[in-house]
Amino acid sequence: MNLRPLHDRVIVKRLDNETKTASGILIPDNAAEKPDQGEILAIGAGKRDNDGKIIPLDVKVGDKVLFGKYAGQTVKVDGDELLVMREEDIMAVVQK
């Protein structure tokens, strides 16, 4: 990957959505909603405070995160669809 996010931005790859319901019904791609979960691929250095000090991000590469349906900006890199979003757009880190 050739993207290095700046400041408090992160690069997220959406996780694949289930294409089958619990009862076994297949959902076609055009009817399925985009998932609101993803994995962080890269993070920026952090946001600067009023004194110019960098505040590091609370997330790290490899974290599985939840985000809003319309969060981030979609970009294509090497055929992959990725999201660039601010850390504040992330609602939660999925714990195992």
Side-chain angles (χ1 to χ4, degrees):
M1 178 177 59
N2 297 327
L3 291 179
R4 182 178 57 89
L6 300 176
H7 309 294
D8 64 335
R9 289 184 176 82
V10 297
I11 307 292
V12 177
K13 181 172 182 166
R14 288 185 192 268
L15 296 177
D16 290 333
N17 206 3
E18 290 293 322
T19 57
K20 190 192 275 189
T21 65
S23 60
I25 298 172
L26 292 176
I27 302 170
D29 288 339
N30 59 353
E33 288 187 24
K34 290 189 174 184
D36 54 358
Q37 289 188 43
E39 181 179 354
I40 295 181
L41 300 179
I43 63 172
K47 196 175 202 176
R48 291 192 183 271
D49 64 8
N50 292 337
D51 297 328
K53 294 180 185 175
I54 293 179
I55 302 169
L57 303 180
D58 289 331
V59 295
K60 61 185 181 304
V61 173
D63 280 350
K64 305 276 191 283
V65 295
L66 299 176
F67 49 86
K69 187 174 187 175
Y70 301 107
Q73 176 68 41
T74 303
V75 295
K76 282 203 172 198
V77 177
D78 299 330
D80 290 329
E81 191 173 287
L82 305 174
L83 287 168
V84 179
M85 66 179 70
R86 292 188 179 276
E87 183 188 32
E88 64 192 29
D89 293 335
I90 297 172
M91 295 186 286
V93 176
V94 178
Q95 302 286 330
K96 292 184 182 179

